[in-house]
Every structure is written in structure tokens, then in C-alpha cells.
């Protein structure tokens, strides 16, 4: 019973990272595709201002996922990181390079340096979600088994490739939707339209890839396909489909403020549908939730720590997101500092 509860916590944490971290990766995707320095100046300006307050905190969800995995499901953790060490290592390098590129491109004095750091940030924002998605696809297809010696097929099979492409497409969707909302907050109607058009294109790509993935899993991951077309998994697939339609309707409206909520619902529902489709396994069809879980005492303490995090940490993160979406976390400009200094002297 407690192993099932912790498994649900793990799934919800993965969904949270897919939405929060995915939004940042999506911003990097649009930075990469913004064009030349002159053409992409305004979109990149918005990306910098939108990401600055929250880009570091989003990785808290990834840390939480890893802690739940290695503490609550050590057998699962061992199998995944043994079979998927290469894509996960590449994703880790991408996370580090992406953060360094974003942090260093703005203060760099030379134009060549800013371009180099910007390129590192943008390319890593594309590759990192792909490799994370490919690893998830390897799990879904059941290729992560005891004794797997990390073959290339574990993460380069059809399901893994499609999961990776879906991860990139969903991050692009989230990034564009949130950037459009930020453009409205900054009273930049041209950027609002710019990112709403891209969000609509990304939404179409997500829908097409989702249909293709469902068809491919019928042969390549039959257990997951059955779970996605029956029971609780099917319910969340329907929720994701309805959220997709509502998001499309909101994106054609200039004041579609709720598009952020529905876009998050698309991604979160899809992740939960995948998790529910794998039941009762963490690795279809070789490792059940019960077999992959740690000791009962460990799970109880992990549940207590999770409860503490829910009470103390998650409200602080929610407050940070709320303040950011309301524009309360804008950085000080030189003019602000000069005005503050003048006031102090007076």
C-alpha cells in the first residue's frame, strides 16, 4: 500500500518537473529558433526577463524525483541508471551547460562570448529534454530490465525516439504559451502574437506526435498501449485531448490568460496517463511497484519527509511562481538604483 502511494508521489513529481522545467526548456527552444541577433533581439529579451526569476528553482523538482527514486525504489533506480546511463549522462551535461550558458551570456562583455554562451544555452535546451524523454521511452517499452548492459537499443528504439520528440514538442508548447502571457504582462502585443502563433504550431506538432506514439506503442510497448486505451490511463488521455482543444481555442484569443493553465493540463495529464498505463509495473512487464520498492521502514520515513516538503517547501515554490506570473519579481534597473541612491542622500 505505502509503495503505491510513494509511486504516485514519484509520478506527480515527474509531472511537476515536466511542466515547470519544461517551460524553461521551451524558452530555450524558442531562443534557438529566434533567428539572427537583430531579428531575434526582442524575443530573446523577453526570454531573459521571463526566465530570470525562476529558472534555478525548477530543478528542485528533478532533485525531488531523484531522491524518491533512489530512496523509495532502489531496484528501479539501479536498473534505469544502468541501462540508461548514456542518455541520462548527456541530459545531465545538458542541464549544467544550459544553466552556465544562461547565467554567463548576459554579463559577457564581448559579442562573441554572448553568442557562444547563448548558443550553448539554446542547444542544451533542445537536447536535454530529448534525452530525458528517450530514457522514459526506454522504460515504457520495457527495455530496462535486470542485467541490461546499456545497449543502444534501450534508448534508440521507436518508442524512445518518439518520447524524446514529444518531450521537445511539449516543452516548446509550454515555453511559447508562458512567453505569450509574459508578453501581455510586459505590454508587448507584437511578441504576444509572435509566441501565440508558435504555441499553436507546437500544439499541432504535439497532437500529431501523440497520435503517432500511440500507434507505435501498440507494437513496441503493448502493455503501455493497453493502459493508455483502457481504465485510468484512458481517462487522462481524454483529459489531455480536451485540454489540447481548449488550449487551441484560447490561443486564438488575444486575451487567453487561461492558456497557461490548460497547457500545463495537457502536459501533466499526458505524463500521468503514461504512469497510470504502466500499472502495476514501474518497468513493464518485468518489475512491479512492490518488487522495485525499498524497505517498508524506509518508505514510511520517505512518506514523512514528503509530507514535510508538502507543508514547508511546496507552498514557497507556489508563492514564487505566483509572484513571478504577477510580475512582482522584476529585477532592479540602473535607473531604479540611481533613484534609490538619490532618495538615501535626501
Amino acid at each position: 500500500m505505502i509503495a503505491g502511494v510513494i509511486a504516485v508521489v514519484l509520478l506527480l513529481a515527474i509531472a511537476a518537473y515536466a511542466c515547470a522545467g519544461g517551460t524553461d526548456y521551451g524558452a530555450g527552444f524558442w531562443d534557438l529558433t529566434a533567428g539572427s541577433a537583430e531579428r531575434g533581439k526582442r524575443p530573446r529579451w523577453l526570454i531573459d526577463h521571463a526566465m530570470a526569476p525562476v529558472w534555478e528553482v525548477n530543478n528542485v523538482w528533478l532533485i525531488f524525483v531523484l531522491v524518491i527514486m533512489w530512496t523509495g525504489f532502489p531496484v528501479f533506480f539501479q536498473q534505469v541508471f544502468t541501462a540508461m546511463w548514456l542518455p541520462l549522462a548527456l541530459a545531465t551535461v545538458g542541464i549544467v551547460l544550459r544553466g552556465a550558458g544562461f547565467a554567463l551570456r548576459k554579463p559577457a562583455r564581448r559579442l562573441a562570448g554572448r553568442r557562444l554562451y547563448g548558443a550553448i544555452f539554446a542547444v542544451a535546451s533542445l537536447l536535454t529534454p530529448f534525452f530525458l524523454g528517450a530514457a522514459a521511452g526506454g522504460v515504457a517499452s520495457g527495455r530496462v530490465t535486470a542485467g541490461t548492459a546499456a545497449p543502444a537499443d534501450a534508448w534508440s528504439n521507436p518508442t524512445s525516439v518518439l518520447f524524446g520528440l514529444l518531450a521537445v514538442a511539449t516543452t516548446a508548447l509550454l515555453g511559447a504559451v508562458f512567453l505569450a502571457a509574459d508578453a501581455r504582462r510586459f505590454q508587448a502585443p507584437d511578441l504576444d502574437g509572435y509566441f501565440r502563433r508558435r504555441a499553436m504550431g507546437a500544439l499541432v506538432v504535439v497532437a500529431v506526435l501523440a497520435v503517432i506514439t500511440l500507434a507505435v506503442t501498440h507494437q513496441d510497448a503493448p502493455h503501455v498501449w493497453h493502459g493508455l486505451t483502457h481504465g485510468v490511463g484512458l481517462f487522462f488521455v481524454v483529459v489531455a485531448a480536451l485540454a489540447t482543444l481548449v488550449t487551441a481555442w484560447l490561443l486564438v484569443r488575444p486575451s487567453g490568460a487561461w492558456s497557461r493553465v490548460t497547457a500545463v493540463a495537457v502536459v501533466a495529464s499526458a505524463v500521468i496517463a503514461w504512469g497510470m498505463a504502466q500499472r502495476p509495473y514501474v518497468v513493464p512487464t518485468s518489475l512491479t511497484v512492490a518488487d522495485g520498492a525499498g524497505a517498508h521502514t524506509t518508505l514510511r520515513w520517505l512518506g514523512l519527509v514528503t509530507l514535510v516538503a508538502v507543508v514547508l517547501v511546496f507552498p514557497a515554490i507556489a508563492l514564487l511562481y505566483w509572484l513571478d506570473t504577477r510580475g512582482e519579481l522584476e529585477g532592479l534597473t540602473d535607473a531604479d538604483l540611481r533613484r534609490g541612491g538619490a532618495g538615501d542622500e535626501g
Side-chain angles (χ1 to χ4, degrees), residues 45 49 106 186 329-341:
W45 167 85
H49 280 74
K106 204 170 184 180
F186 284 111
L329 301 177
E330 294 300 316
L332 292 175
T333 65
D334 291 340
D336 294 326
L337 295 175
R338 284 194 293 269
R339 283 198 298 270

Side-chain angles (χ1 to χ4, degrees), residues 252-336:
V252 300
R253 299 165 57 85
S255 60
W258 283 92
S259 58
R260 290 180 297 190
V261 176
T262 58
V264 167
V266 171
V267 178
S269 298
V271 172
I272 295 173
W274 160 55
M276 292 294 104
Q278 293 195 171
R279 293 182 309 160
Y281 300 98
V282 285
V283 179
T285 53
S286 61
L287 185 66
T288 65
V289 171
D291 291 339
H296 185 74
T297 302
T298 302
L299 293 176
R300 283 193 300 174
W301 279 105
L302 185 58
L304 178 61
V305 171
T306 300
L307 182 61
V308 172
V310 169
V311 174
L312 297 180
V313 179
F314 295 165
I317 296 177
L319 176 62
L320 178 66
Y321 289 154
W322 183 77
L323 290 173
D324 179 50
T325 56
R326 291 177 60 86
E328 300 291 339
L329 301 177
E330 294 300 316
L332 292 175
T333 65
D334 291 340
D336 294 326

Side-chain angles (χ1 to χ4, degrees), residues 237-251:
V237 168
V238 172
V239 171
L242 293 176
T244 299
L245 295 175
V246 175
T247 302
W249 179 72
L250 290 172
L251 286 174

Side-chain angles (χ1 to χ4, degrees), residues 9-337:
V9 172
L10 175 60
L11 179 60
L12 294 177
I14 293 173
Y17 182 64
C19 295
T23 302
D24 276 355
Y25 291 132
F29 177 89
W30 297 117
D31 187 287
L32 179 65
T33 59
S36 63
E38 185 60 32
R39 180 184 176 187
K41 183 177 181 180
R42 278 178 57 74
R44 291 190 177 104
W45 167 85
L46 179 62
I47 289 168
D48 283 342
H49 280 74
M51 284 185 58
V54 297
W55 70 277
E56 291 178 292
V57 76
N58 287 330
N59 282 324
V60 169
W61 298 110
L62 178 59
I63 295 170
F64 189 64
V65 168
L66 293 175
V67 170
I68 294 291
M69 278 187 67
W70 79 55
T71 308
F73 300 94
V75 178
F76 177 49
F77 181 87
Q78 179 188 21
Q79 291 189 11
V80 169
F81 277 78
T82 299
M84 298 292 178
W85 72 267
L86 181 56
L88 292 175
L90 292 173
T92 302
V93 171
I95 291 171
V96 174
L97 291 178
R98 179 179 177 276
F102 182 74
L104 295 175
R105 73 172 180 172
K106 204 170 184 180
R109 293 178 177 271
R110 297 182 179 179
L111 178 60
R114 291 197 297 271
R115 286 178 173 174
L116 173 62
Y117 293 131
I120 291 173
F121 160 70
V123 173
S125 297
L126 174 67
L127 296 180
T128 300
F130 175 81
F131 287 122
L132 290 174
V139 173
S141 63
R143 288 176 168 86
V144 178
T145 58
T148 301
D153 179 63
W155 61 277
S156 60
N157 55 82
T159 300
S160 290
V161 172
L162 283 167
F163 268 51
L165 293 176
L166 261 176
V168 174
T170 54
T171 60
L173 167 64
L174 289 169
V177 168
F178 273 74
L179 286 168
D182 284 321
R184 293 191 290 273
R185 174 160 59 87
F186 284 111
Q187 298 181 349
D190 59 322
L191 291 177
D192 178 22
Y194 175 92
F195 282 112
R196 279 195 294 114
R197 289 191 297 271
R198 281 152 180 77
M200 183 64 78
L203 188 65
V204 172
V205 172
V206 168
V208 172
L209 283 175
V211 173
I212 295 174
T213 302
L214 189 62
V216 168
T217 56
H218 185 267
Q219 295 294 328
D220 199 50
H223 180 84
V224 169
W225 177 85
H226 183 272
L228 291 173
T229 54
H230 296 80
V232 180
L234 176 59
F235 170 79
F236 281 102
V237 168
V238 172
V239 171
L242 293 176
T244 299
L245 295 175
V246 175
T247 302
W249 179 72
L250 290 172
L251 286 174
V252 300
R253 299 165 57 85
S255 60
W258 283 92
S259 58
R260 290 180 297 190
V261 176
T262 58
V264 167
V266 171
V267 178
S269 298
V271 172
I272 295 173
W274 160 55
M276 292 294 104
Q278 293 195 171
R279 293 182 309 160
Y281 300 98
V282 285
V283 179
T285 53
S286 61
L287 185 66
T288 65
V289 171
D291 291 339
H296 185 74
T297 302
T298 302
L299 293 176
R300 283 193 300 174
W301 279 105
L302 185 58
L304 178 61
V305 171
T306 300
L307 182 61
V308 172
V310 169
V311 174
L312 297 180
V313 179
F314 295 165
I317 296 177
L319 176 62
L320 178 66
Y321 289 154
W322 183 77
L323 290 173
D324 179 50
T325 56
R326 291 177 60 86
E328 300 291 339
L329 301 177
E330 294 300 316
L332 292 175
T333 65
D334 291 340
D336 294 326
L337 295 175

